[in-house]
Amino acid sequence: MNFVLRPPSEGRSGPGSGRGSGRGTVMENLEKQLICPVCLEMFSKPVVILPCQHNLCRKCANDMFQSSNPLWQSRSSSSSSSSSSSSSSSIGSRFRCPSCRQEVLLDRHGVYGLQRNLLVENILDLYRQQEASRPVPMKPEQQQQLVCEDHEEERINIYCLSCETPTCSMCKVFGKHKACDVAPLSSVYLRQKTDLSDSIAMLVANNDHIQTRISEMEEMCCCVEENGERQREHLEERFEALVNILDERKQDLVGLISKHHDDTLRRVRSLIGRHSEQLEAAVALLETAIQSMEEPHMPLFIQSAKVILEKMAVTASHLERPEVRFESVSHFVLDTDDLADLLRNIHFSPGGGDDGEEDHEEGEE
């Protein structure tokens, strides 16, 4: 980066400026206390409090934890076998506080097991409300305050395409960007702002699509529960008529339905959890992108937009979705017309699906 933000040479002076200046100092000091030591930005919700009493954005804490523990499994893998869980936990789920370097040891929930600092979050809300309601008049000559670090009298007015950074005309003519390709800063600003706007629209559409998927799978869960309950009742009616012969087999068959019901629900709910996590991350990225659209300085906007666009490029993913009629239990069908001497070996009639054949093989084992 080869530009700096020059403070206004004039502004808060004259009668009554003492009180306003003191208020500004208090707000500046408060803002310093609300800066995350990792991203150097205002804390973003949720804010977690470490055992050493220092605060971090949960996303920053998660990024540090993931970089320190690359083999640690996420929450979505909590349903894996106990042997895998014990193996992953033995890797070491810990990282160091960026403020005091004290080691932070986390449980199997990772950073999601850290307590939220609701007090800091409330202060953040009050601070943002106060800043939003405070008028900040600017003179026309004060609106452009970004100047070149190497040429203090030169404004940032071009963009180096080779180095991908804003710079000034003197740097292009005599400075470090003499051999680089450049473009007008305004054209790059408009292009990236358009790209970011398009990406925001795509992200909103993707979020709506994910929410639709989640709703569909929630309905699928209800259907699985209803079908499983209905099939159990049907089995009860059939076994009541054949209780003397079928009592032992009844428990086995009910168990198979319950296993199918539980496995199906477990799988769909796991998918819901993964989609919900993706939606949460996408919503947070969307909020950051919308906030960046309000950045008045083109160079700063370009730098932040580049990072956001890169993040947006990797947000699109194709999560697994259960196949059509995944919730069906139509393969659990009884044939009660068989002869009595065959009832001891009665089993569900295959419904034509692979699941029915697998369940049949499991019953024979």
Side-chain angles (χ1 to χ4, degrees), residues 115-277:
Q115 183 178 0
R116 291 178 60 175
N117 195 332
L118 299 179
L119 176 59
V120 171
E121 293 182 10
N122 292 335
I123 293 176
L124 279 170
D125 291 339
L126 293 174
Y127 175 83
R128 290 192 175 104
Q129 293 175 7
Q130 186 68 17
E131 285 299 292
S133 62
R134 182 165 63 95
V136 183
M138 294 184 64
K139 297 181 180 180
E141 62 270 20
Q142 293 175 334
Q143 293 179 358
Q144 291 292 342
Q145 298 177 355
L146 293 176
V147 296
C148 180
E149 190 178 43
D150 299 330
H151 308 93
E152 297 181 353
E153 300 301 322
E154 292 294 324
R155 292 188 299 106
I156 302 298
N157 58 358
I158 61 176
Y159 184 82
C160 179
L161 301 175
S162 303
C163 303
E164 297 184 344
T165 182
T167 184
C168 72
S169 301
M170 296 296 291
C171 287
K172 169 59 181 172
V173 178
F174 304 105
K176 63 182 71 174
H177 301 286
K178 184 176 181 180
C180 299
D181 296 329
V182 299
L185 189 65
S186 58
S187 64
V188 178
Y189 167 80
L190 293 175
R191 183 173 66 251
Q192 288 206 7
K193 194 160 190 176
T194 300
D195 292 343
L196 183 57
S197 299
D198 295 340
S199 297
I200 288 175
M202 293 178 61
L203 185 58
V204 170
N206 186 55
N207 290 348
D208 293 339
H209 182 64
I210 293 175
Q211 184 61 57
T212 300
R213 290 281 183 87
I214 292 175
S215 299
E216 291 174 353
M217 286 184 288
E218 288 175 344
E219 293 178 359
M220 187 180 296
C221 285
C222 295
C223 187
V224 169
E225 292 177 340
E226 293 174 358
N227 290 344
E229 183 63 28
R230 183 167 55 251
Q231 194 67 21
R232 281 197 294 269
E233 294 174 356
H234 180 68
L235 280 175
E236 291 291 343
E237 294 174 359
R238 293 299 183 94
F239 278 108
E240 284 296 327
L242 305 171
V243 64
N244 294 329
I245 303 174
L246 304 177
D247 186 70
E248 180 180 356
R249 292 295 295 160
K250 179 185 69 172
Q251 298 302 325
D252 295 337
L253 297 178
V254 170
L256 286 176
I257 292 179
S258 298
K259 181 180 183 299
H260 174 82
H261 166 240
D262 294 339
D263 291 346
T264 304
L265 284 179
R266 188 181 302 110
R267 182 178 176 186
V268 176
R269 285 169 176 164
S270 175
L271 290 175
I272 290 176
R274 289 160 56 188
H275 280 74
S276 298
E277 289 177 1

Side-chain angles (χ1 to χ4, degrees), residues 286-325:
L286 176 62
E287 293 177 355
T288 302
I290 293 175
Q291 291 177 0
S292 68
M293 294 290 291
E294 300 176 358
E295 173 59 51
H297 300 294
M298 290 185 288
L300 295 179
F301 171 81
I302 292 173
Q303 294 301 312
S304 62
K306 177 184 175 183
V307 175
I308 295 173
L309 288 170
E310 291 175 352
K311 292 181 179 180
M312 286 182 174
V314 299
T315 54
S317 62
H318 302 285
L319 294 180
E320 178 184 357
R321 181 178 184 272
E323 58 273 19
V324 178
R325 297 188 61 80

Side-chain angles (χ1 to χ4, degrees), residues 12 17-30 127 129-136:
R12 297 178 181 176
S17 63
R19 181 173 58 185
S21 187
R23 179 182 180 276
T25 302
V26 171
M27 296 301 290
E28 290 174 0
N29 292 334
L30 177 59
Y127 175 83
Q129 293 175 7
Q130 186 68 17
E131 285 299 292
S133 62
R134 182 165 63 95
V136 183

